[in-house]
Amino acid sequence: MSDIDLRLREDVHLLGELLGETIRQQHGDAFLDKIEAIRHSAKADRLGEGEQLSSTLDDLAEEDLLPVARAFNQFLNLANIAEQYQLIRRRDAGQPEPFEDRALPELLARLKAAGHGNDSLARQLARLDIQLVLTAHPTEVARRTLIQKYDAIAAQLAAQDHRDLLPAERQQVRERLRRLIAEAWHTEEIRRTRPTPVDEAKWGFAVIEHSLWQAIPSHLRKVDAALFDATGLRLPLEAAPVRFASWMGGDRDGNPNVTAAVTREVLLLARWMAADLFLRDIDYLAAELSMQAASAALREQVGDDSAEPYRALLKQLRDRLRATRAWAHASLAAPQPASAAVLVDNRELIAPLELCYQSLHECGMGVIADGPLLDCLRRAVTFGLFLVRLDVRQDSARHRDALSEITDYLGLGRYADWDEERRITFLQAELKNRRPLLPGHFKPQADTAEVLATCREIAAAPAASLGSYVISMAGAASDVLAVQLLLKEAGLTRPMRVVPLFETLADLDNAGPVMERLLGLPGYRAGLHGPQEVMIGYSDSAKDAGTTAAAWAQYRAQENLVRICREHQVELLLFHGRGGTVGRGGGPAHAAILSQPPGSVAGRFRTTEQGEMIRFKFGLPGIAEQNLNLYLAAVLEATMLPPPPPEPAWREVMDQLAADGVKAYRDVVRENPDFVEYFRQSTPEQELGRLPLGSRPAKRRAGGIESLRAIPWIFGWTQTRLMLPAWLGWETALNNALARGQGQLLAQMREQWPFFRTRIDMLEMVLAKADAQIAGAYDQRLVQPPLLPLGAQLRDLLSQSCQVVLGLTGQPVLLAHSPETLEFIRLRNTYLDPLHRLQAELLARSRSREAALDSPLEQALLVTVAGIAAGLRNTG
């Protein structure tokens, strides 16, 4: 067992012991003995020593259901904390340097060996434009209150690792841990009410405040050091390779709770939070920078007679930040005019900090300049006065309906009834027309009024506070022009990126022709200020066609877009709409970026980070740094050492795999008349709609699988460990390829083609988390007898997937090459197994009677959902 595994087990044991003490104090020895009996039964079942767990759980009294569910939920959260801490601790524990820390220095050495000069490397690194877009998809099950306690527990694990602690100090750490665990135990895991979109935005801001605010300057220091070691050159002050955007408060696709008023409030809250965070920095710097020697430029700014010129300048900035914060706060209640003191341009924040920095260097005090002042300057460049850029997202049908109402009112007929050419002719003419489209007395219906109100908020907001306008379910060039016209009508005079999102299999295949038509329109290219952004949808395409066909369609769509934009001499920015799970395009970011088509990552990369993955990847400063390092290294490598294009023979194989995969997937999901009913009986899909997870409804509209959002679709299968959306179709596709004698070709593709290797690696990872025995237990308790054969068939297909992947990798067990990951999975299974069995029992009881949402039974059920989500990490 490695040192990490040993320390992880020690930490998990300690946290579990302290949780046990807390449980004993509240529920007594007898109850704690039940918990231990359940845990031992789960272990015995895993070792094949009979079916002890079911009988142990069957003996539970009704009043024990909630505390038992809570106990195992907390065990899993504590195991997560220990694992995250151990991942950070590797840096200081005499272990080999983790890959996350080595990635950039090793890449720079390889790039130099490949012939890239120092200037070229430094220039490309400084120009990187990586945007991580934080989204509020409802898969973060932990409350913010608990997340803060979990972060404090991680800090105490770090504190106890100091080798020079006295016995009394070690005892103090243990007491703090005991207190924090008790506080977590006595805090409800589940929200009683759904969060509002504003609550979600505040949650996103909290991740910045408590983690990314520290991680960004620390990350950039290490990037600067790696660049200097490799080239002798420094990262420019204005460089911000990684920036953040957000959909929280801007994503109104299918969410009626996100309104124009909500978007305005979130923009103001972001300005308030940015001003508040920078005020803390400036207060500190004003106290520290007491030096007298200053450059002529700084003296001129504050007056020659100032005894402490740095403090004088920073106090001016502090006064303006206070005025900005006060204005943002007052504007939340009612619109307020901004006084001259309010900061409105990022240069107004950055310039005084740069002046102090340059003056200190000129006066021989570079060591002071390169301390906290440089960190503040890096934050100012990365976050600015607006903290994150807010994207707006809306469904193309809403724009179409709004324009239909408008054209109908104007006596032109219904826009929705026109063909594409007539729409384009109308839209282009109106975009050029100087007169308003609508008279002032036009009174639109509520939906159209909301679309127009959102456009007015965009027009009124500072450009630097906004990101892109994303059009869901885009399918034609007119979808982009429609948004441009609505924004123009609302008074927007500056350019804004309007981004078509291609989601379904058919839309991905049609993405190239749509963009060809758009870029070929007279005047469209001239109106582009910066790159043409296009969003690739992973969630809906996988739900529509399965991951085999969806992955290949995404790849081909990107290739076509790269070619088309190159022919039109337009820069392309691809925006990847990935979720946390493999079934929604998730997986290790580094490998995913390096598996993109050549030319698709040209110094620019935009991707969503969603729900619980935001906390797991960016919730702690140390973990956030590691993930920022991986993103930066991967985008730089994909830009400067892009993979070769796939061989024609590989393309043929992928075409056949995709065709076989989509047929096998749809034969089950679409063609089997029992499938929807089986899904609803065997998973907690119906109950997920009652979970107060996020502000969005679980469905876009009434209907079957096609009406479900991708998240409950994935979440339901994850809870039962069948993980069906991530693998269904691959088993047939790969087995058919082997039957055609293409085994050698598949091995070659896996060895030499990053795209295919990454797909198989992600498939292997999700299959290692799948568990047919657990899925079967749900069926036995929940599924009506006529549907049981379908469940057995699906578990057989899962088994086939596992066998064919093992055949491809040549390993005895899944993830044999990653013992660390296997250890994490094994460690969790002891706590997950009881939660799965308990959840199946609770679902059965809940469905047999109408239980109130706040009843102990329903609360216990929701806690099992939260616990399983925590244990499996990437839930939806």
Side-chain angles (χ1 to χ4, degrees):
M1 187 179 288
S2 72
D3 179 60
I4 289 180
D5 292 343
L6 194 61
R7 292 304 300 266
L8 175 61
R9 284 187 173 275
E10 286 175 4
D11 283 349
V12 169
H13 178 75
L14 170 63
L15 296 177
E17 186 181 293
L18 294 174
L19 177 59
E21 290 176 17
T22 300
I23 293 171
R24 178 188 286 114
Q25 285 173 2
Q26 186 177 3
H27 295 281
D29 289 338
F31 180 78
L32 186 60
D33 290 343
K34 285 181 188 176
I35 296 291
E36 281 301 295
I38 293 168
R39 195 167 66 85
H40 287 300
S41 297
K43 271 190 170 179
D45 281 9
R46 278 277 162 189
L47 295 170
E49 297 171 5
E51 282 284 328
Q52 299 180 27
L53 182 56
S54 294
S55 59
T56 310
L57 289 172
D58 286 345
D59 294 338
L60 285 180
E62 187 96 355
E63 63 271 14
D64 287 339
L65 294 174
L66 179 56
V68 166
R70 296 192 67 236
F72 284 97
N73 176 31
Q74 287 294 3
F75 275 126
L76 283 162
N77 278 297
L78 294 174
N80 276 347
I81 296 166
E83 179 190 323
Q84 282 207 308
Y85 170 62
Q86 286 303 327
L87 289 174
I88 299 170
R89 180 186 167 275
R90 288 181 297 175
R91 301 172 169 189
D92 311 309
Q95 296 287 323
E97 193 176 16
F99 172 71
E100 296 90 340
D101 292 349
R102 302 192 321 267
L104 181 61
E106 289 180 359
L107 171 62
L108 291 172
R110 278 192 287 127
L111 290 171
K112 287 193 72 173
H116 292 282
N118 290 343
D119 287 344
S120 165
L121 284 175
R123 197 180 314 114
Q124 187 60 66
L125 184 53
R127 280 205 311 239
L128 286 182
D129 178 15
I130 302 164
Q131 295 178 39
L132 304 180
V133 185
L134 309 180
T135 75
H137 288 317
T139 56
E140 173 52 85
V141 289
R143 293 175 59 203
R144 219 164 91 202
T145 309
L146 278 171
I147 290 169
Q148 288 163 358
K149 295 187 192 306
Y150 296 154
D151 290 349
I153 290 170
Q156 291 309 306
L157 288 178
Q160 75 162 2
D161 258 350
H162 288 288
R163 295 186 181 89
D164 56 352
L165 287 182
L166 297 171
E169 291 172 323
R170 194 167 293 283
Q171 185 58 31
Q172 273 184 337
V173 171
R174 189 180 174 99
E175 286 304 316
R176 283 192 210 111
L177 278 171
R178 178 183 282 110
R179 186 166 60 253
L180 286 164
I181 287 169
E183 288 174 8
W185 175 255
H186 291 286
T187 300
E188 280 196 6
E189 296 92 336
I190 303 295
R191 308 177 188 98
R192 291 297 178 110
T193 56
R194 283 187 182 276
T196 66
V198 174
D199 292 334
E200 291 170 334
K202 288 177 179 176
W203 179 84
F205 298 158
V207 173
I208 294 173
E209 177 185 7
H210 297 298
S211 177
L212 291 170
W213 199 253
Q214 290 78 41
I216 279 288
S218 179
H219 160 68
L220 290 175
R221 281 182 180 282
K222 287 168 185 161
V223 172
D224 181 59
L227 180 63
F228 185 76
D229 289 346
T231 66
L233 300 169
R234 292 287 184 190
L235 193 66
L237 291 179
E238 66 274 11
V242 184
R243 284 192 171 97
F244 297 89
S246 176
W247 279 11
M248 301 180 193
D251 179 11
R252 58 245 308 128
D253 174 30
N255 187 350
N257 301 310
V258 180
T259 61
V262 163
T263 294
R264 178 182 174 278
E265 183 177 355
V266 168
L267 287 167
L268 285 168
L269 283 169
R271 293 186 76 171
W272 184 94
M273 175 62 85
D276 191 65
L277 288 170
F278 281 114
L279 266 170
R280 299 178 211 176
D281 277 10
I282 300 305
D283 276 339
Y284 176 82
L285 290 171
E288 294 294 309
L289 300 184
S290 56
M291 306 82 217
Q292 295 179 338
S295 66
L298 180 54
R299 288 275 176 200
E300 184 182 339
Q301 186 78 17
V302 298
D304 284 336
D305 57 344
S306 176
E308 295 178 321
Y310 299 96
R311 282 181 169 170
L313 184 60
L314 290 171
K315 284 175 181 176
Q316 289 175 13
L317 179 56
R318 181 170 63 190
D319 289 344
R320 296 196 68 186
L321 282 166
R322 283 175 176 159
T324 305
R325 186 177 63 177
W327 166 82
H329 185 263
S331 298
L332 286 167
Q336 304 286 323
S339 70
V342 172
L343 295 161
V344 294
D345 187 292
N346 283 330
R347 283 305 305 169
E348 296 173 297
L349 171 66
I350 294 167
L353 298 170
E354 278 183 347
L355 190 54
C356 289
Y357 183 84
Q358 288 155 359
S359 174
L360 286 167
H361 270 282
E362 280 182 39
C363 297
M365 294 180 281
V367 67
I368 297 171
D370 291 331
L373 174 60
L374 177 59
D375 289 347
C376 182
L377 191 45
R378 296 282 197 206
R379 289 182 186 119
V381 173
T382 299
F383 296 108
L385 292 170
F386 307 100
L387 205 63
V388 291
R389 286 179 176 266
L390 185 68
D391 280 5
V392 170
R393 182 168 78 131
Q394 182 58 279
D395 192 289
S396 60
R398 290 291 299 273
H399 308 133
R400 198 157 50 246
D401 291 346
L403 281 169
S404 289
E405 185 179 342
I406 289 167
T407 56
D408 199 28
Y409 175 80
L410 295 173
L412 302 174
R414 283 184 53 76
Y415 174 87
D417 298 336
W418 301 349
D419 63 21
E420 177 68 358
E421 290 310 310
R422 185 176 175 191
R423 289 179 187 179
I424 286 177
T425 302
F426 167 76
L427 293 166
Q428 284 197 292
E430 288 301 329
L431 280 165
K432 286 183 202 162
N433 205 317
R434 293 184 181 181
R435 59 142 174 80
L437 177 62
L438 287 168
H441 56 265
F442 174 62
K443 299 291 183 204
Q445 297 294 315
D447 281 356
T448 299
E450 182 55 45
V451 169
L452 293 172
T454 296
C455 292
R456 284 193 293 274
E457 288 299 339
I458 291 169
S465 68
L466 294 166
S468 305
Y469 193 121
V470 179
I471 310 165
S472 301
M473 294 296 169
S478 60
D479 289 330
V480 174
L481 300 182
V483 172
Q484 289 183 333
L485 179 58
L486 291 167
L487 289 171
K488 169 183 174 275
E489 187 62 20
L492 185 72
T493 54
R494 63 173 188 272
M496 182 180 190
R497 288 204 301 253
V498 177
V499 182
L501 164 52
F502 299 104
E503 298 181 77
T504 65
L505 193 64
D507 286 343
L508 286 167
D509 288 340
N510 197 39
V514 168
M515 295 311 297
E516 183 86 70
R517 179 83 176 93
L518 189 63
L519 292 171
L521 291 173
Y524 178 81
R525 262 194 59 209
L528 276 179
H529 293 257
Q532 171 65 58
E533 186 177 337
V534 178
M535 188 168 181
I536 302 293
Y538 288 72
S539 304
D540 281 288
S541 56
K543 181 163 73 79
D544 172 41
T547 58
T548 325
W552 185 227
Q554 291 148 10
Y555 190 96
R556 291 197 323 271
Q558 290 180 68
E559 285 185 316
N560 286 335
L561 291 168
V562 168
R563 174 185 56 77
I564 289 161
C565 285
R566 188 181 293 130
E567 288 169 359
H568 284 272
Q569 298 180 314
V570 169
E571 289 184 85
L572 172 66
L573 169 58
L574 284 165
F575 182 8
H576 300 265
R578 295 177 179 274
T581 58
V582 172
R584 298 190 61 239
H590 188 267
I593 293 167
L594 294 178
S595 71
Q596 301 306 312
S600 64
V601 183
R604 290 191 172 94
F605 188 78
R606 204 165 195 255
T607 188
T608 49
E609 291 288 359
Q610 100 167 37
E612 84 287 0
M613 297 312 295
I614 295 172
R615 174 161 60 101
F616 292 142
K617 291 168 79 168
F618 304 108
L620 292 173
I623 292 285
E625 271 189 62
Q626 291 181 345
N627 282 290
L628 293 169
N629 292 343
L630 289 176
Y631 269 115
L632 187 139
V635 172
L636 184 62
E637 181 170 353
T639 301
M640 304 193 79
L641 287 177
E647 301 286 338
W650 301 350
R651 287 182 176 281
E652 287 179 24
V653 172
M654 259 330 292
D655 284 341
Q656 192 62 58
L657 288 172
D660 290 350
V662 71
K663 183 179 186 310
Y665 177 88
R666 286 180 174 170
D667 279 351
V668 171
V669 173
R670 298 265 183 95
E671 302 304 323
N672 189 320
D674 294 331
F675 181 79
V676 172
E677 184 57 30
Y678 171 78
F679 171 54
R680 300 224 154 111
Q681 286 186 26
S682 66
T683 74
E685 181 265 332
Q686 301 165 67
E687 290 73 18
L688 288 173
R690 301 204 298 268
L691 255 179
L693 287 179
S695 65
R696 292 200 321 191
K699 281 176 174 282
R700 282 189 167 96
R701 59 193 176 279
I705 295 296
E706 75 289 344
S707 70
L708 265 185
R709 287 192 172 279
I711 291 164
W713 164 244
I714 297 283
F715 211 136
W717 294 112
T718 305
Q719 289 279 306
T720 68
R721 297 288 282 279
L722 193 60
M723 310 290 200
L724 177 137
W727 57 262
L728 183 62
W730 278 103
E731 75 297 328
T732 302
L734 292 171
N735 276 321
N736 287 356
L738 292 172
R740 289 191 296 268
Q742 294 174 326
Q744 198 63 42
L745 203 48
L746 291 175
Q748 185 189 71
M749 290 161 66
R750 186 167 176 270
E751 180 68 29
Q752 299 176 24
W753 189 14
F755 165 77
F756 190 70
R757 179 170 61 249
T758 301
R759 293 311 315 173
I760 298 301
D761 286 351
M762 289 198 281
L763 181 59
E764 182 182 12
M765 181 186 71
V766 82
L767 289 173
K769 288 187 176 182
D771 192 311
Q773 189 178 354
I774 293 290
Y778 278 85
D779 277 15
Q780 290 305 316
R781 193 68 187 88
L782 300 170
V783 175
Q784 297 297 315
L787 296 178
L788 288 173
L790 176 54
Q793 178 197 342
L794 295 177
R795 293 193 296 279
D796 179 60
L797 292 175
L798 171 62
S799 175
Q800 290 180 38
S801 278
C802 295
Q803 291 309 310
V804 74
V805 168
L806 287 174
L808 273 181
T809 62
Q811 296 177 150
V813 293
L814 295 167
L815 292 184
H817 61 282
S818 182
E820 204 172 272
T821 307
L822 272 180
E823 176 63 17
F824 291 153
I825 293 172
R826 285 193 197 106
L827 191 64
R828 284 182 170 80
N829 276 338
T830 307
Y831 305 112
L832 275 167
D833 289 357
L835 278 176
H836 285 299
R837 305 280 183 158
L838 189 57
Q839 183 181 85
E841 178 60 32
L842 290 164
L843 285 167
R845 295 190 193 187
S846 174
R847 290 173 186 179
S848 68
R849 61 188 195 239
E850 288 296 321
L853 185 60
D854 58 354
S855 71
L857 188 148
E858 285 289 284
Q859 283 292 298
L861 177 55
L862 299 188
V863 169
T864 65
V865 170
I868 292 166
L872 292 173
R873 307 257 307 212
N874 47 351
T875 58

